[in-house]
Amino acid sequence: MTNNMEAKFVMEHEVAKILDHHEYAAVATVENQKPRLRRMPKYNKGLSIYLVADRKSQTWDPESKTPVSLLVGHEESGSQEAVEIDGSLTLHTEEVLRRQIWREEFGASFSGPDDPDYVILQVKAVRIEYTDKDGQKHEWFDY
């Protein structure tokens, strides 16, 4: 294994740890030519990232890949560890995943995992920037 491959593996592991530690992400999109930032529930399996959205929210375009930026981590408690991800959102329709991601707290907005307004958006990353606990930034593209 080369040093570059080892470094990438270590960064992927550290990014996945941060993603696993946080249930929400700050999510930025553009709507009507204006930036929009919101906090959204997040689910991940390693570096496969999914967001929970309301079909009525206008957060995304189901017909195309909607550009998105995510920020996860960077706690007010002093930790500098954070992950920034640029990519696109696409509608994910796998029924098993919808049920796996469902949490009781979503019941305030949706009737259940079968609610047609409960949608899962998959994040396809094109750039990931990881800030480690010492504030050092590590970046890679086309993940």
Side-chain angles (χ1 to χ4, degrees):
M1 194 181 278
T2 68
N3 284 342
N4 284 343
M5 290 176 67
E6 287 176 18
K8 183 178 178 189
F9 176 78
V10 168
M11 285 193 322
E12 287 177 357
H13 178 72
E14 293 302 317
V15 167
K17 278 188 354 187
I18 291 171
L19 293 173
D20 289 346
H21 184 70
H22 297 276
E23 293 184 0
Y24 289 85
V27 180
T29 57
V30 175
E31 294 178 24
N32 300 318
Q33 300 179 351
K34 294 181 183 175
R36 179 154 184 224
L37 180 66
R38 71 195 58 71
R39 184 173 176 259
M40 294 177 73
K42 175 205 63 63
Y43 174 81
N44 66 289
K45 286 182 174 182
L47 297 182
S48 297
I49 304 164
Y50 305 92
L51 301 171
V52 174
D54 188 329
R55 184 177 300 277
K56 300 174 289 196
S57 73
Q58 304 300 313
T59 305
W60 50 282
D61 179 356
E63 303 301 318
S64 66
K65 294 181 179 183
T66 302
V68 66
S69 288
L70 276 70
L71 174 62
V72 178
H74 201 60
E75 305 267 326
E76 288 184 19
S77 63
S79 173
Q80 294 186 44
E81 283 189 303
V83 175
E84 294 179 43
I85 299 169
D86 294 332
S88 61
L89 294 176
T90 55
L91 182 63
H92 190 81
T93 58
E94 183 182 314
E95 199 61 37
V96 171
L97 188 63
R98 288 169 53 89
R99 293 185 181 287
Q100 189 174 10
I101 291 175
W102 177 261
R103 297 193 299 242
E104 288 303 314
E105 68 188 74
F106 299 159
S109 301
F110 307 106
S111 63
D114 295 322
D115 187 324
D117 289 330
Y118 165 66
V119 295
I120 305 301
L121 303 174
Q122 184 170 9
V123 178
K124 169 64 175 146
V126 295
R127 184 188 76 86
I128 299 176
E129 182 177 285
Y130 162 62
T131 304
D132 65 24
K133 62 185 174 195
D134 298 322
Q136 296 295 312
K137 293 186 183 292
H138 311 273
E139 183 177 58
W140 71 95
F141 294 86
D142 292 321
Y143 177 73

